[in-house]
Amino acid sequence: MIAGCSDPKIDTSSMPASVVSVEKVRESLPSYKRSEFDRGLIIIATATFDGVDILNPQRMNAAEIAELANAQMHGLTGDQIIQRADKILRDRRARERDHAIRTLRRLEEKRSKAASDQQQLARLTIDSARYYTGVSPYGVPEPVIDLEVTNGTDQAISELFLRGVLTSSDRTVPWVDETFYYVATGGIEPGETQQWSLAPNRFGPWGDAQIPADAELTITLKGLRGSDDQPLWDSPELSESETAKLERLRDEYTGVALSSAE
């Protein structure tokens, strides 16, 4: 039945002509096709409205549905209305499938690009990293970070974005966990190895007098800039929501070819 019509014997005397016409078409169908006709009528009536779920429209009465559908179903038989509604559904599902596959490909490409960029970044290696307390030219203690890096990439590097974590065996929380930039004077050419002694701010966490002498420093590379000061290999990884969407789409569209050449 059409939404809002609880009785198949509808009183058409006070209804608009479009509703009477719809009811006549409905009555001409075998009883087993009428529910399919009702569903098709709702689909046709609501399909032209963006954002409307054609399978779950808001509650509408018979007159509203008939008025909306009349222009599109004028002159059609009941079977033709059912066929048109089926085509609307097929087209909608095809569009949704195409959109989902495009999204799937985009997310796959984004993840692949991020993984490729991480591989490129890993070619600049942190060969050694050491933290200790030295003495400044003014005779006061100051923290020092000694680094040795090798540029295994094919690009000259002007700046590094690093994360330093300083830990000791007697603590579960690091003494220091900070990110920082280092500008390599003159740059680092492909294949070149350089050693640096960095002097972090002694008034910050690196200068904590309680840090033991055997504290262990771990330096990881977070990003690079090239000789033109532009970021290198910085494609972002998928967010948690994007990863969840990717997995859902992959499960739903298993077997779909993802080649962008298609």
Side-chain angles (χ1 to χ4, degrees):
M1 288 298 298
I2 301 174
C5 298
S6 59
D7 187 350
K9 299 296 186 179
I10 299 176
D11 180 7
T12 62
S13 60
S14 61
M15 288 188 174
S18 59
V19 177
V20 176
S21 174
V22 167
E23 185 59 24
K24 286 181 178 180
V25 173
R26 185 178 188 279
E27 290 296 329
S28 71
L29 291 169
S31 58
Y32 69 88
K33 281 190 175 183
R34 290 175 185 174
S35 62
E36 190 175 359
F37 173 86
D38 293 342
R39 178 173 175 268
L41 194 62
I42 294 173
I43 290 171
I44 291 173
T46 58
T48 58
F49 293 86
D50 292 337
V52 174
D53 184 345
I54 61 179
L55 295 181
N56 296 287
Q58 294 180 349
R59 186 171 180 81
M60 304 169 67
N61 62 41
E64 290 171 326
I65 293 171
E67 288 288 357
L68 287 170
N70 189 52
Q72 297 189 55
M73 57 166 278
H74 181 69
L76 299 180
T77 67
D79 283 333
Q80 288 172 331
I81 288 173
I82 291 172
Q83 291 169 4
R84 174 169 291 185
D86 286 342
K87 183 177 186 303
I88 289 172
L89 276 184
R90 289 195 303 272
D91 290 347
R92 169 68 66 87
R93 287 166 179 158
R95 289 194 299 272
E96 289 175 348
R97 180 179 182 275
D98 290 345
H99 176 72
I101 291 174
R102 288 196 300 272
T103 300
L104 175 57
R105 287 175 174 163
R106 177 180 60 80
L107 292 175
E108 288 280 13
E109 290 169 0
K110 182 177 179 180
R111 185 170 70 172
S112 177
K113 184 67 166 61
S116 175
D117 281 6
Q118 286 299 313
Q119 290 178 350
Q120 290 292 333
L121 285 177
R123 293 171 62 188
L124 189 140
T125 58
I126 309 296
D127 301 328
S128 64
R130 175 175 170 249
Y131 169 88
Y132 60 95
T133 299
V135 178
S136 75
Y138 304 100
V140 298
E142 68 174 6
V144 180
I145 297 174
D146 281 351
L147 286 179
E148 179 176 295
V149 304
T150 297
N151 182 8
T153 77
D154 58 1
Q155 301 286 326
I157 305 302
S158 65
E159 187 174 358
L160 296 83
F161 181 41
L162 303 166
R163 178 187 177 192
V165 180
L166 191 62
T167 59
S168 60
S169 59
D170 60 337
R171 287 173 59 95
T172 57
V173 177
W175 290 99
V176 180
D177 187 345
E178 284 194 340
T179 55
F180 57 93
Y181 289 94
Y182 180 72
V183 176
T185 304
I188 318 169
E189 294 297 322
E192 185 178 5
T193 297
Q194 291 191 12
Q195 296 85 31
W196 308 314
S197 287
L198 285 56
N201 184 358
R202 70 174 183 271
F203 299 108
W206 294 98
D208 189 338
Q210 298 182 64
I211 297 175
D214 62 351
E216 183 176 347
L217 174 63
T218 302
I219 297 288
T220 53
L221 178 67
K222 306 299 290 183
L224 296 170
R225 288 184 181 272
S227 56
D228 57 359
D229 290 330
Q230 295 302 307
L232 295 171
W233 308 301
D234 64 340
S235 298
E237 297 183 353
L238 296 183
S239 66
E240 288 187 9
S241 62
E242 287 176 324
T243 300
K245 179 182 288 188
L246 174 59
E247 295 307 316
R248 177 177 58 79
L249 291 174
R250 292 185 71 184
D251 289 342
E252 187 172 353
Y253 294 96
T254 300
V256 176
L258 299 179
S259 171
S260 59
E262 292 184 350

Coordinates of all heavy atoms in Angstrom, one line a residue, residues 32 42 61 68 90 95 121 123 125 153 155-156 158 168 172 178 181-182 186 188 192 201 216 220 225 227 234 250:
Y32 N -1.3 -9.2 -6.4 CA 0.0 -9.5 -5.9 C 1.1 -8.5 -6.4 O 2.2 -8.4 -5.9 CB 0.4 -10.9 -6.4 CG 0.6 -11.1 -7.9 CD1 1.9 -10.8 -8.5 CD2 -0.4 -11.5 -8.7 CE1 2.1 -11.0 -9.8 CE2 -0.2 -11.6 -10.1 CZ 1.0 -11.4 -10.6 OH 1.2 -11.5 -12.0
I42 N 6.4 5.4 -4.8 CA 7.2 6.2 -3.8 C 8.6 6.5 -4.4 O 9.1 7.6 -4.3 CB 7.3 5.5 -2.5 CG1 5.9 5.4 -1.8 CG2 8.3 6.2 -1.6 CD1 5.9 4.5 -0.6
N61 N 1.4 11.1 2.5 CA 0.0 10.5 2.2 C -0.1 10.3 0.7 O 0.7 10.7 -0.1 CB -1.1 11.4 2.8 CG -1.1 12.8 2.1 OD1 -0.9 12.9 0.9 ND2 -1.3 13.8 2.9
L68 N 3.5 14.2 -6.7 CA 4.9 14.2 -7.0 C 5.2 13.3 -8.2 O 6.1 13.6 -9.1 CB 5.8 13.8 -5.8 CG 5.9 14.8 -4.7 CD1 6.5 14.2 -3.5 CD2 6.7 16.0 -5.2
R90 N 18.2 0.7 -10.0 CA 19.5 0.2 -10.6 C 20.4 1.3 -10.9 O 21.6 1.2 -10.6 CB 19.1 -0.6 -11.9 CG 18.4 -1.9 -11.7 CD 18.5 -2.8 -12.9 NE 17.9 -2.1 -14.1 CZ 16.6 -2.2 -14.4 NH1 15.8 -2.8 -13.7 NH2 16.2 -1.5 -15.5
R95 N 25.4 4.2 -9.5 CA 26.1 5.5 -9.1 C 26.8 5.3 -7.7 O 27.9 5.7 -7.6 CB 25.1 6.7 -9.1 CG 24.6 7.1 -10.4 CD 24.0 8.5 -10.4 NE 22.8 8.5 -9.5 CZ 21.6 8.2 -9.9 NH1 21.3 7.8 -11.1 NH2 20.6 8.3 -9.0
L121 N 62.0 8.3 2.8 CA 62.5 9.0 3.9 C 63.5 8.1 4.7 O 64.5 8.6 5.2 CB 61.4 9.4 4.9 CG 60.5 10.6 4.5 CD1 59.4 10.7 5.6 CD2 61.3 11.9 4.4
R123 N 65.6 6.3 3.6 CA 66.9 6.2 3.0 C 67.9 7.2 3.6 O 69.1 7.1 3.4 CB 66.8 6.4 1.5 CG 66.0 5.3 0.8 CD 65.7 5.6 -0.7 NE 66.9 5.8 -1.4 CZ 66.9 6.3 -2.7 NH1 65.8 6.6 -3.3 NH2 68.0 6.4 -3.3
T125 N 69.5 7.9 6.9 CA 69.6 7.1 8.1 C 70.3 7.9 9.2 O 71.2 8.7 9.0 CB 70.4 5.9 7.8 OG1 71.7 6.2 7.3 CG2 69.7 5.0 6.8
T153 N 69.4 9.2 0.0 CA 68.4 9.6 -1.0 C 69.1 10.1 -2.3 O 70.3 10.3 -2.3 CB 67.4 10.6 -0.5 OG1 68.0 11.9 -0.5 CG2 66.9 10.3 0.9
Q155 N 68.3 13.1 -3.3 CA 68.0 14.6 -3.3 C 69.0 15.2 -2.2 O 69.3 14.6 -1.2 CB 66.6 14.8 -2.8 CG 65.5 14.3 -3.7 CD 65.4 15.1 -5.0 OE1 65.6 16.3 -5.0 NE2 65.1 14.4 -6.1
A156 N 69.4 16.4 -2.5 CA 70.1 17.2 -1.5 C 69.2 17.6 -0.4 O 68.0 18.0 -0.7 CB 70.8 18.4 -2.1
S158 N 68.2 20.0 3.0 CA 68.6 21.3 3.6 C 68.1 21.3 5.1 O 68.7 22.0 5.9 CB 68.0 22.4 2.9 OG 66.5 22.4 3.0
S168 N 65.6 6.3 30.4 CA 66.5 5.6 31.3 C 65.8 4.4 31.9 O 64.6 4.4 32.0 CB 67.1 6.5 32.4 OG 66.1 7.0 33.2
T172 N 59.6 4.8 33.6 CA 58.7 4.4 32.5 C 58.3 5.5 31.6 O 58.0 5.3 30.4 CB 57.4 3.8 33.1 OG1 56.8 4.8 34.0 CG2 57.7 2.5 33.9
E178 N 60.5 15.1 22.4 CA 60.2 16.3 21.7 C 60.6 16.2 20.2 O 61.4 15.4 19.8 CB 61.1 17.5 22.3 CG 60.6 18.0 23.6 CD 61.3 19.4 23.9 OE1 62.4 19.6 23.4 OE2 60.7 20.1 24.7
Y181 N 63.6 20.8 14.6 CA 64.1 21.0 13.3 C 65.6 21.2 13.4 O 66.1 21.7 14.4 CB 63.5 22.2 12.6 CG 62.1 22.0 12.2 CD1 61.1 22.4 13.0 CD2 61.8 21.4 10.9 CE1 59.7 22.2 12.6 CE2 60.5 21.2 10.5 CZ 59.4 21.6 11.4 OH 58.1 21.5 11.0
Y182 N 66.4 20.7 12.4 CA 67.8 21.0 12.3 C 68.1 21.4 10.9 O 67.8 20.7 9.9 CB 68.7 19.8 12.7 CG 70.1 20.2 12.6 CD1 70.7 21.0 13.5 CD2 70.9 19.7 11.6 CE1 72.1 21.4 13.4 CE2 72.3 20.0 11.5 CZ 72.8 20.9 12.4 OH 74.2 21.2 12.3
G186 N 74.8 24.3 4.5 CA 75.4 23.9 3.2 C 74.7 22.6 2.7 O 75.0 22.2 1.6
I188 N 73.1 18.5 2.8 CA 73.7 17.2 2.8 C 73.5 16.6 1.4 O 72.3 16.4 1.0 CB 73.1 16.2 3.8 CG1 72.8 17.0 5.1 CG2 73.9 15.0 4.0 CD1 71.9 16.2 6.1
E192 N 76.3 11.5 1.1 CA 77.2 12.2 2.0 C 76.8 11.8 3.5 O 75.6 11.7 3.8 CB 77.1 13.7 1.9 CG 78.1 14.5 2.8 CD 78.0 16.0 2.5 OE1 77.1 16.4 1.7 OE2 78.8 16.7 3.1
N201 N 68.3 23.7 24.2 CA 68.1 24.7 25.2 C 68.3 24.1 26.6 O 67.6 23.2 27.0 CB 66.7 25.3 25.1 CG 66.5 26.5 26.1 OD1 67.4 26.8 26.9 ND2 65.3 27.1 26.1
E216 N 69.5 6.9 27.5 CA 69.6 6.5 26.1 C 68.8 7.4 25.2 O 67.6 7.6 25.5 CB 69.1 5.0 26.0 CG 69.3 4.5 24.6 CD 68.9 3.0 24.5 OE1 68.7 2.4 25.6 OE2 68.7 2.5 23.4
T220 N 64.4 9.7 15.7 CA 63.7 9.2 14.5 C 63.5 10.4 13.6 O 63.2 11.5 14.0 CB 62.4 8.5 14.9 OG1 61.6 9.4 15.7 CG2 62.7 7.2 15.6
R225 N 63.4 18.5 4.2 CA 63.2 19.5 3.2 C 64.4 19.5 2.2 O 65.5 19.2 2.6 CB 63.1 20.9 3.8 CG 61.9 21.2 4.5 CD 61.8 22.7 5.0 NE 60.6 22.9 5.8 CZ 59.4 23.3 5.2 NH1 59.4 23.5 3.9 NH2 58.4 23.5 5.9
S227 N 66.7 21.0 -1.2 CA 67.6 22.2 -1.4 C 66.7 23.5 -1.7 O 67.2 24.6 -1.6 CB 68.6 22.0 -2.6 OG 67.9 21.6 -3.8
D234 N 56.3 13.8 1.8 CA 55.5 14.1 3.0 C 54.0 13.7 2.8 O 53.2 14.3 3.5 CB 55.6 15.6 3.3 CG 55.0 16.5 2.2 OD1 54.9 16.0 1.1 OD2 54.7 17.7 2.5
R250 N 36.8 -2.4 0.9 CA 37.5 -3.5 0.4 C 36.7 -4.8 0.7 O 36.6 -5.7 -0.2 CB 38.9 -3.7 1.0 CG 39.8 -2.5 0.6 CD 41.2 -2.7 1.2 NE 41.9 -3.8 0.5 CZ 43.1 -4.3 0.8 NH1 43.8 -3.7 1.8 NH2 43.7 -5.3 0.2

